[in-house]
Amino acid sequence: MNHIAPGRNAGVYSYDDIDRRFVAERVEQFRAQVERRLSGELTEDEFKPLRLMNGLYLQLHAYMLRVAVPYGVLTSRQLRKLAEIGRKYDKGYGHFTTRQNLQFNWIKLEDTPAILHELAEVDMHALQTSGNCVRNVTTDQFVGAARDEVVDGRVYAEILRQWTTLHPEFTFLPRKFKIAIMGSDADRAAIRVHDVGVFAKRNERGEVGFTFYVGGGLGRSPFIGKLIRDWVPEEDFVAYLEAILRVYNQYGRRDNIYKARIKILVHELGQEKFTREVEEEFARLRGPKYRLAPEIVDEIRRRFGGPAFETLTDEPESFQAAKAANPDFARWVAVNVLAHKVPGYAAATISLKPAGGIPGDATSEQMELVADLADAHSFGELRVSHVQNLVLAHVRQDALFTLWTALEANGLGTPNAGLIGDIIACPGLDYCALANARSIPLAQAISARFADPARQQAIGELGIKISGCINACGHHHVGAIGILGVDKKGEEFYQITVGGDPTLTTAIGDILGPAVTADETVDAIEAIVEVYLSNRHDGERFIDTLKRVGHGPFKERVYAAH
Amino acid sequence: MALNDQSSNEAVLKAITANRLRDGEVIFLAPGPDLRWVERLDDAALFEDAATDAALAAAKAQAEGEQFAVDVYAFDLRVADGQRVPVKTRERIRALGPTVRIDLGKQAAA
Amino acid sequence: MPLIKDGRIVEDEWVAVADGEPVPADRPAIVTFERWQAERASFDGRNAALGVRVKSGTLAPAIAPDLDRFALVAIEFPKFRDGRGFSTARELRERYGYEGEIRAVGHVIPDQYRFLLRTGFTSAEAPENTNPESWAHALTEITVAFQPSLDDPQPLSLLRRRLGS
């Protein structure tokens, strides 16, 4: 198979020697930190933030290493390395996360410097995937491919990645800090539930600028991000973020971990006063030192290269014929394939949510297969989506059938992107030290109950999101149906919310009623779906029907037996 | 004082657990005066409530002082028909492995 | 506690004076910001250098009006994870043009030394049993930075910079 070199022309930021030297130095720095911990020079209290800033958690069974996939984009070569690490240092699999990263669950502390060294060989790292610093910036999984794209968010996400790496002032913030950026009018990155959510757009002169939402977040106290500025010119992008972070670092609460996120600061100061503080800081910072000059942007953009698209036309004959001849393929295309900005191409979602499977998990063999398919069909480049799937973003439409055939043969052809089986679930109590209840078994039971692809397609767009504790890593607040695991005297119970929405029309779901057992939850989901289907008007999605008829009928049916 | 299983049907007992620093493995304090740690709950020392605090303090001092383990704490379990069953799901999962991957963790080697 | 400057342990010429204790008139002394506020008149006419120690919650604007009275500002880190001091130091330098010594006191670890220097600190109080090698090593282990800062790194390209050591 023809392996495309990373970076060049693949649409992935290509490292140079300086980037490589930095990551190599960071690996050696961590190696020394591990040695100082093992020798007792560093206490656990001192070491913990340092290991977290290298993505290393201590979970229930072992250490967990969260490898950064910056803004969810990686090369086939990088994915192969992840597969290899999974086999060599873990148990042959990895878990793709809602921050577009990859987690290994069975890592030894003493192996970690060697793993980071291997990652550095393919220009990867685990920097700032945890800790009270600026985390991996996320974006649209269809960036650079979507037909509705106005600005390529990767370029600005990479600028932020660099700018926030070991930022001397903002590495010990009150709490973690998550930024998401979108470059189109649609929201596929849950912008308004981030600490900072940014829409990149263009003015009438074609210049790039940014709309800033601040103070969104899920967790114990969910908040929707507030608009604090509609237009920040490109050259002020970094200065404006510095201003937000400085206000947060200085005034964010440090007395209570549950009130330390920026959402609480924005809430307590009020939108107006917070905005004023940021604007004052921005006025002082604005200037040559923090100016994002056009040459910087151009240089970063150049380092991405870009796929060399061919001149093709949409809906080639062979593609149409394959759809006509094979209804399963046609269904997969209808559900998992998105129109591309370049005629003749398409973006294909590879579902990591087989019926009854563990959401987001992929074996080393599956990763290698996807890497091969990325080489064959998508310029050696692929993406991780925040809904825990993989994406081949630039597939020729006349190659989709070949791609699907290979995916289908390896359990990766599930046609459920955006449907009821495409469940987001955090690792939950099966792995996570913070969880109160398991998430994965419930996701498995629900996706098994709705295994029939035709039924899923008939139900239509419906996102189920499951969290195993109030930290909300499974984004349950913004699930059309959200499920939160709680512990009641040692028993696992699940609280159901409905009406959440992570898109432009952001909404936090409402609690439907008292928490129920796992088995009852699966029945409740089925009841909710039945009420929806029997009330639905033509073309209505689940959340549309819910909005129109209210919670009453749903609540009544779910709790009828109680 | 550590107890043997036969003396303690039904009663809630305690075991002391931690994660080993160098690899994160779940470990349990073994019976005996020498503060040894074992990887299987079946081999762990069990304590009456009243005896737990002193044992825990000694285990913490040793494990943390020597950079051997982190997060040392005691948890409740019951012994029924010779089987040691932690009261909380969390501790059952730590003692066995993920319920969704019974091919992995301590349960796989059982 | 050992004082770290330029990557090594150095003699501390300053004396930290607890509230209520007499302030020596003949040698550099550091008093708390609270004491300074309460007894400022008593320092009029003082010849020896005066330093002030501020808590992590006391931010740069609060001390700015009196900066010309202080040859040293000691910024407290109650826990090393409390990073407010990085912003305070940076503001003292960039916003208020302070040129005296800025010292990190309380709990800081060698792994933060580079961040301290980059945000404008000049010295750091290390824990009693600290390993001096870890502080020295902190100056050389990372040579690339991605932001402009107070230690004036040399631009390598448009975003990246070379850190001096």
mmCIF file of all heavy atoms in Angstrom, chain C residues 25-61:
data_model
loop_
_atom_site.group_PDB
_atom_site.id
_atom_site.type_symbol
_atom_site.label_atom_id
_atom_site.label_comp_id
_atom_site.label_asym_id
_atom_site.label_seq_id
_atom_site.Cartn_x
_atom_site.Cartn_y
_atom_site.Cartn_z
ATOM 1 N N ALA C 25 16.057 48.628 60.465
ATOM 2 C CA ALA C 25 16.202 49.857 59.686
ATOM 3 C C ALA C 25 17.421 49.806 58.777
ATOM 4 O O ALA C 25 17.535 50.596 57.846
ATOM 5 C CB ALA C 25 16.305 51.053 60.635
ATOM 6 N N ASP C 26 18.332 48.879 59.060
ATOM 7 C CA ASP C 26 19.644 48.928 58.413
ATOM 8 C C ASP C 26 19.842 47.839 57.377
ATOM 9 O O ASP C 26 20.940 47.667 56.853
ATOM 10 C CB ASP C 26 20.727 48.814 59.487
ATOM 11 C CG ASP C 26 20.530 47.551 60.331
ATOM 12 O OD1 ASP C 26 19.427 46.949 60.244
ATOM 13 O OD2 ASP C 26 21.458 47.183 61.066
ATOM 14 N N ARG C 27 18.824 47.039 57.080
ATOM 15 C CA ARG C 27 19.013 46.031 56.018
ATOM 16 C C ARG C 27 17.712 45.831 55.259
ATOM 17 O O ARG C 27 16.631 46.144 55.760
ATOM 18 C CB ARG C 27 19.533 44.715 56.585
ATOM 19 C CG ARG C 27 18.619 44.056 57.609
ATOM 20 C CD ARG C 27 19.136 42.694 58.002
ATOM 21 N NE ARG C 27 19.110 41.785 56.866
ATOM 22 C CZ ARG C 27 19.220 40.462 56.993
ATOM 23 N NH1 ARG C 27 19.414 39.915 58.196
ATOM 24 N NH2 ARG C 27 19.168 39.681 55.942
ATOM 25 N N PRO C 28 17.795 45.328 54.039
ATOM 26 C CA PRO C 28 16.581 45.137 53.229
ATOM 27 C C PRO C 28 15.583 44.240 53.946
ATOM 28 O O PRO C 28 15.962 43.177 54.441
ATOM 29 C CB PRO C 28 17.106 44.462 51.954
ATOM 30 C CG PRO C 28 18.560 44.808 51.902
ATOM 31 C CD PRO C 28 19.009 44.897 53.325
ATOM 32 N N ALA C 29 14.328 44.693 54.018
ATOM 33 C CA ALA C 29 13.317 43.943 54.757
ATOM 34 C C ALA C 29 12.024 43.856 53.961
ATOM 35 O O ALA C 29 11.665 44.789 53.238
ATOM 36 C CB ALA C 29 13.057 44.628 56.100
ATOM 37 N N ILE C 30 11.381 42.696 54.108
ATOM 38 C CA ILE C 30 10.096 42.476 53.421
ATOM 39 C C ILE C 30 8.989 42.463 54.463
ATOM 40 O O ILE C 30 9.042 41.690 55.421
ATOM 41 C CB ILE C 30 10.091 41.123 52.673
ATOM 42 C CG1 ILE C 30 11.266 41.045 51.691
ATOM 43 C CG2 ILE C 30 8.759 40.914 51.942
ATOM 44 C CD1 ILE C 30 11.472 39.659 51.075
ATOM 45 N N VAL C 31 8.002 43.336 54.268
ATOM 46 C CA VAL C 31 6.833 43.339 55.162
ATOM 47 C C VAL C 31 5.600 42.928 54.367
ATOM 48 O O VAL C 31 5.607 42.979 53.136
ATOM 49 C CB VAL C 31 6.601 44.741 55.789
ATOM 50 C CG1 VAL C 31 7.801 45.157 56.628
ATOM 51 C CG2 VAL C 31 6.310 45.773 54.700
ATOM 52 N N THR C 32 4.570 42.539 55.096
ATOM 53 C CA THR C 32 3.347 42.158 54.378
ATOM 54 C C THR C 32 2.671 43.395 53.811
ATOM 55 O O THR C 32 2.830 44.503 54.335
ATOM 56 C CB THR C 32 2.352 41.430 55.298
ATOM 57 O OG1 THR C 32 1.915 42.350 56.294
ATOM 58 C CG2 THR C 32 2.984 40.215 55.952
ATOM 59 N N PHE C 33 1.897 43.189 52.759
ATOM 60 C CA PHE C 33 1.182 44.296 52.126
ATOM 61 C C PHE C 33 0.179 44.906 53.111
ATOM 62 O O PHE C 33 -0.034 46.117 53.141
ATOM 63 C CB PHE C 33 0.480 43.786 50.861
ATOM 64 C CG PHE C 33 -0.227 44.863 50.095
ATOM 65 C CD1 PHE C 33 0.465 45.951 49.588
ATOM 66 C CD2 PHE C 33 -1.597 44.773 49.853
ATOM 67 C CE1 PHE C 33 -0.188 46.943 48.864
ATOM 68 C CE2 PHE C 33 -2.258 45.750 49.121
ATOM 69 C CZ PHE C 33 -1.550 46.835 48.635
ATOM 70 N N GLU C 34 -0.405 44.043 53.965
ATOM 71 C CA GLU C 34 -1.371 44.517 54.954
ATOM 72 C C GLU C 34 -0.682 45.472 55.947
ATOM 73 O O GLU C 34 -1.227 46.503 56.315
ATOM 74 C CB GLU C 34 -2.000 43.328 55.706
ATOM 75 C CG GLU C 34 -2.945 42.468 54.853
ATOM 76 C CD GLU C 34 -2.230 41.627 53.803
ATOM 77 O OE1 GLU C 34 -1.030 41.313 54.000
ATOM 78 O OE2 GLU C 34 -2.849 41.293 52.775
ATOM 79 N N ARG C 35 0.519 45.087 56.354
ATOM 80 C CA ARG C 35 1.249 45.948 57.293
ATOM 81 C C ARG C 35 1.629 47.268 56.615
ATOM 82 O O ARG C 35 1.521 48.343 57.223
ATOM 83 C CB ARG C 35 2.503 45.226 57.768
ATOM 84 C CG ARG C 35 3.275 46.056 58.793
ATOM 85 C CD ARG C 35 4.479 45.301 59.305
ATOM 86 N NE ARG C 35 5.033 45.925 60.488
ATOM 87 C CZ ARG C 35 5.930 45.327 61.274
ATOM 88 N NH1 ARG C 35 6.331 44.094 60.997
ATOM 89 N NH2 ARG C 35 6.409 45.951 62.322
ATOM 90 N N TRP C 36 2.075 47.150 55.376
ATOM 91 C CA TRP C 36 2.404 48.367 54.619
ATOM 92 C C TRP C 36 1.219 49.319 54.587
ATOM 93 O O TRP C 36 1.350 50.524 54.847
ATOM 94 C CB TRP C 36 2.851 48.002 53.206
ATOM 95 C CG TRP C 36 2.742 49.152 52.242
ATOM 96 C CD1 TRP C 36 1.782 49.356 51.308
ATOM 97 C CD2 TRP C 36 3.617 50.278 52.162
ATOM 98 N NE1 TRP C 36 1.992 50.528 50.633
ATOM 99 C CE2 TRP C 36 3.121 51.124 51.141
ATOM 100 C CE3 TRP C 36 4.766 50.663 52.855
ATOM 101 C CZ2 TRP C 36 3.744 52.320 50.782
ATOM 102 C CZ3 TRP C 36 5.380 51.858 52.487
ATOM 103 C CH2 TRP C 36 4.864 52.675 51.460
ATOM 104 N N GLN C 37 0.056 48.763 54.311
ATOM 105 C CA GLN C 37 -1.136 49.615 54.231
ATOM 106 C C GLN C 37 -1.453 50.264 55.576
ATOM 107 O O GLN C 37 -1.825 51.435 55.642
ATOM 108 C CB GLN C 37 -2.343 48.793 53.751
ATOM 109 C CG GLN C 37 -2.258 48.444 52.275
ATOM 110 C CD GLN C 37 -3.428 47.583 51.844
ATOM 111 O OE1 GLN C 37 -3.686 46.532 52.411
ATOM 112 N NE2 GLN C 37 -4.148 48.054 50.838
ATOM 113 N N ALA C 38 -1.277 49.506 56.666
ATOM 114 C CA ALA C 38 -1.634 50.004 57.991
ATOM 115 C C ALA C 38 -0.596 50.979 58.541
ATOM 116 O O ALA C 38 -0.934 51.907 59.265
ATOM 117 C CB ALA C 38 -1.821 48.824 58.947
ATOM 118 N N GLU C 39 0.678 50.764 58.190
ATOM 119 C CA GLU C 39 1.735 51.543 58.852
ATOM 120 C C GLU C 39 2.594 52.307 57.852
ATOM 121 O O GLU C 39 3.764 52.577 58.123
ATOM 122 C CB GLU C 39 2.639 50.580 59.661
ATOM 123 C CG GLU C 39 1.886 49.729 60.666
ATOM 124 C CD GLU C 39 2.780 48.648 61.293
ATOM 125 O OE1 GLU C 39 4.022 48.745 61.172
ATOM 126 O OE2 GLU C 39 2.223 47.696 61.872
ATOM 127 N N ARG C 40 2.046 52.637 56.723
ATOM 128 C CA ARG C 40 2.890 53.197 55.661
ATOM 129 C C ARG C 40 3.694 54.426 56.093
ATOM 130 O O ARG C 40 4.834 54.602 55.686
ATOM 131 C CB ARG C 40 2.088 53.487 54.406
ATOM 132 C CG ARG C 40 0.878 54.381 54.617
ATOM 133 C CD ARG C 40 0.006 54.421 53.364
ATOM 134 N NE ARG C 40 0.785 54.790 52.196
ATOM 135 C CZ ARG C 40 0.503 54.382 50.947
ATOM 136 N NH1 ARG C 40 -0.509 53.579 50.724
ATOM 137 N NH2 ARG C 40 1.238 54.786 49.940
ATOM 138 N N ALA C 41 3.084 55.250 56.953
ATOM 139 C CA ALA C 41 3.782 56.469 57.374
ATOM 140 C C ALA C 41 5.079 56.139 58.118
ATOM 141 O O ALA C 41 6.070 56.873 58.045
ATOM 142 C CB ALA C 41 2.874 57.327 58.243
ATOM 143 N N SER C 42 5.069 54.986 58.813
ATOM 144 C CA SER C 42 6.250 54.622 59.601
ATOM 145 C C SER C 42 7.462 54.306 58.733
ATOM 146 O O SER C 42 8.576 54.215 59.221
ATOM 147 C CB SER C 42 5.918 53.437 60.511
ATOM 148 O OG SER C 42 5.824 52.258 59.736
ATOM 149 N N PHE C 43 7.238 54.106 57.433
ATOM 150 C CA PHE C 43 8.365 53.794 56.552
ATOM 151 C C PHE C 43 8.928 55.044 55.857
ATOM 152 O O PHE C 43 9.894 54.954 55.119
ATOM 153 C CB PHE C 43 7.955 52.748 55.506
ATOM 154 C CG PHE C 43 7.550 51.437 56.121
ATOM 155 C CD1 PHE C 43 6.207 51.103 56.226
ATOM 156 C CD2 PHE C 43 8.505 50.571 56.616
ATOM 157 C CE1 PHE C 43 5.815 49.903 56.795
ATOM 158 C CE2 PHE C 43 8.125 49.369 57.196
ATOM 159 C CZ PHE C 43 6.776 49.030 57.295
ATOM 160 N N ASP C 44 8.282 56.194 56.115
ATOM 161 C CA ASP C 44 8.793 57.429 55.511
ATOM 162 C C ASP C 44 10.216 57.671 56.004
ATOM 163 O O ASP C 44 10.518 57.506 57.181
ATOM 164 C CB ASP C 44 7.907 58.630 55.911
ATOM 165 C CG ASP C 44 6.566 58.584 55.181
ATOM 166 O OD1 ASP C 44 6.442 57.766 54.238
ATOM 167 O OD2 ASP C 44 5.645 59.333 55.572
ATOM 168 N N GLY C 45 11.096 58.032 55.137
ATOM 169 C CA GLY C 45 12.466 58.339 55.532
ATOM 170 C C GLY C 45 13.349 57.124 55.696
ATOM 171 O O GLY C 45 14.524 57.235 56.034
ATOM 172 N N ARG C 46 12.793 55.928 55.435
ATOM 173 C CA ARG C 46 13.597 54.702 55.551
ATOM 174 C C ARG C 46 14.680 54.709 54.466
ATOM 175 O O ARG C 46 14.426 55.028 53.308
ATOM 176 C CB ARG C 46 12.673 53.498 55.379
ATOM 177 C CG ARG C 46 13.402 52.163 55.432
ATOM 178 C CD ARG C 46 12.430 50.999 55.198
ATOM 179 N NE ARG C 46 13.175 49.776 54.935
ATOM 180 C CZ ARG C 46 13.625 48.950 55.870
ATOM 181 N NH1 ARG C 46 13.423 49.226 57.153
ATOM 182 N NH2 ARG C 46 14.295 47.865 55.537
ATOM 183 N N ASN C 47 15.895 54.342 54.862
ATOM 184 C CA ASN C 47 16.998 54.310 53.904
ATOM 185 C C ASN C 47 17.216 52.927 53.297
ATOM 186 O O ASN C 47 17.449 52.793 52.104
ATOM 187 C CB ASN C 47 18.295 54.793 54.555
ATOM 188 C CG ASN C 47 18.244 56.285 54.791
ATOM 189 O OD1 ASN C 47 17.705 57.017 53.951
ATOM 190 N ND2 ASN C 47 18.753 56.731 55.921
ATOM 191 N N ALA C 48 17.153 51.893 54.146
ATOM 192 C CA ALA C 48 17.356 50.529 53.625
ATOM 193 C C ALA C 48 16.180 50.152 52.727
ATOM 194 O O ALA C 48 15.081 50.688 52.858
ATOM 195 C CB ALA C 48 17.483 49.545 54.788
ATOM 196 N N ALA C 49 16.456 49.232 51.828
ATOM 197 C CA ALA C 49 15.432 48.848 50.849
ATOM 198 C C ALA C 49 14.235 48.195 51.536
ATOM 199 O O ALA C 49 14.380 47.520 52.548
ATOM 200 C CB ALA C 49 16.030 47.889 49.819
ATOM 201 N N LEU C 50 13.061 48.424 50.935
ATOM 202 C CA LEU C 50 11.831 47.840 51.472
ATOM 203 C C LEU C 50 11.190 46.942 50.409
ATOM 204 O O LEU C 50 11.133 47.295 49.239
ATOM 205 C CB LEU C 50 10.858 48.961 51.863
ATOM 206 C CG LEU C 50 9.556 48.511 52.543
ATOM 207 C CD1 LEU C 50 9.838 47.906 53.923
ATOM 208 C CD2 LEU C 50 8.576 49.667 52.658
ATOM 209 N N GLY C 51 10.748 45.772 50.877
ATOM 210 C CA GLY C 51 10.013 44.870 49.993
ATOM 211 C C GLY C 51 8.639 44.604 50.570
ATOM 212 O O GLY C 51 8.403 44.809 51.758
ATOM 213 N N VAL C 52 7.707 44.156 49.716
ATOM 214 C CA VAL C 52 6.354 43.884 50.198
ATOM 215 C C VAL C 52 5.942 42.477 49.759
ATOM 216 O O VAL C 52 6.301 42.017 48.681
ATOM 217 C CB VAL C 52 5.370 44.954 49.684
ATOM 218 C CG1 VAL C 52 5.165 44.842 48.177
ATOM 219 C CG2 VAL C 52 4.051 44.900 50.404
ATOM 220 N N ARG C 53 5.234 41.793 50.659
ATOM 221 C CA ARG C 53 4.779 40.434 50.357
ATOM 222 C C ARG C 53 3.269 40.466 50.151
ATOM 223 O O ARG C 53 2.525 40.921 51.029
ATOM 224 C CB ARG C 53 5.134 39.508 51.526
ATOM 225 C CG ARG C 53 4.678 38.068 51.345
ATOM 226 C CD ARG C 53 4.973 37.261 52.617
ATOM 227 N NE ARG C 53 4.461 35.908 52.512
ATOM 228 C CZ ARG C 53 5.242 34.826 52.447
ATOM 229 N NH1 ARG C 53 6.553 34.938 52.492
ATOM 230 N NH2 ARG C 53 4.695 33.626 52.354
ATOM 231 N N VAL C 54 2.818 40.013 48.975
ATOM 232 C CA VAL C 54 1.381 40.060 48.690
ATOM 233 C C VAL C 54 0.819 38.653 48.596
ATOM 234 O O VAL C 54 1.463 37.734 48.103
ATOM 235 C CB VAL C 54 1.069 40.839 47.386
ATOM 236 C CG1 VAL C 54 1.471 42.290 47.536
ATOM 237 C CG2 VAL C 54 1.735 40.213 46.179
ATOM 238 N N LYS C 55 -0.395 38.514 49.078
ATOM 239 C CA LYS C 55 -1.100 37.227 48.970
ATOM 240 C C LYS C 55 -1.532 37.013 47.530
ATOM 241 O O LYS C 55 -1.633 37.964 46.747
ATOM 242 C CB LYS C 55 -2.314 37.243 49.897
ATOM 243 C CG LYS C 55 -1.956 37.269 51.374
ATOM 244 C CD LYS C 55 -3.178 36.894 52.213
ATOM 245 C CE LYS C 55 -2.807 36.406 53.604
ATOM 246 N NZ LYS C 55 -2.025 37.380 54.380
ATOM 247 N N SER C 56 -1.832 35.757 47.185
ATOM 248 C CA SER C 56 -2.144 35.461 45.788
ATOM 249 C C SER C 56 -3.399 36.182 45.313
ATOM 250 O O SER C 56 -3.557 36.447 44.128
ATOM 251 C CB SER C 56 -2.286 33.955 45.576
ATOM 252 O OG SER C 56 -3.363 33.460 46.329
ATOM 253 N N GLY C 57 -4.282 36.527 46.262
ATOM 254 C CA GLY C 57 -5.502 37.219 45.864
ATOM 255 C C GLY C 57 -5.320 38.727 45.699
ATOM 256 O O GLY C 57 -6.222 39.422 45.251
ATOM 257 N N THR C 58 -4.144 39.240 46.080
ATOM 258 C CA THR C 58 -3.868 40.671 45.890
ATOM 259 C C THR C 58 -3.253 40.861 44.509
ATOM 260 O O THR C 58 -2.145 40.431 44.256
ATOM 261 C CB THR C 58 -2.898 41.185 46.977
ATOM 262 O OG1 THR C 58 -3.472 40.904 48.262
ATOM 263 C CG2 THR C 58 -2.666 42.675 46.848
ATOM 264 N N LEU C 59 -3.982 41.477 43.638
ATOM 265 C CA LEU C 59 -3.549 41.553 42.239
ATOM 266 C C LEU C 59 -2.791 42.850 41.978
ATOM 267 O O LEU C 59 -2.778 43.766 42.802
ATOM 268 C CB LEU C 59 -4.773 41.440 41.325
ATOM 269 C CG LEU C 59 -5.599 40.159 41.527
ATOM 270 C CD1 LEU C 59 -6.828 40.155 40.622
ATOM 271 C CD2 LEU C 59 -4.762 38.904 41.279
ATOM 272 N N ALA C 60 -2.181 42.902 40.810
ATOM 273 C CA ALA C 60 -1.277 44.008 40.495
ATOM 274 C C ALA C 60 -1.894 45.404 40.690
ATOM 275 O O ALA C 60 -1.231 46.288 41.261
ATOM 276 C CB ALA C 60 -0.737 43.847 39.077
ATOM 277 N N PRO C 61 -3.137 45.637 40.258
ATOM 278 C CA PRO C 61 -3.678 46.998 40.394
ATOM 279 C C PRO C 61 -3.695 47.484 41.839
ATOM 280 O O PRO C 61 -3.551 48.687 42.096
ATOM 281 C CB PRO C 61 -5.109 46.873 39.841
ATOM 282 C CG PRO C 61 -5.054 45.707 38.918
ATOM 283 C CD PRO C 61 -4.068 44.754 39.525
#
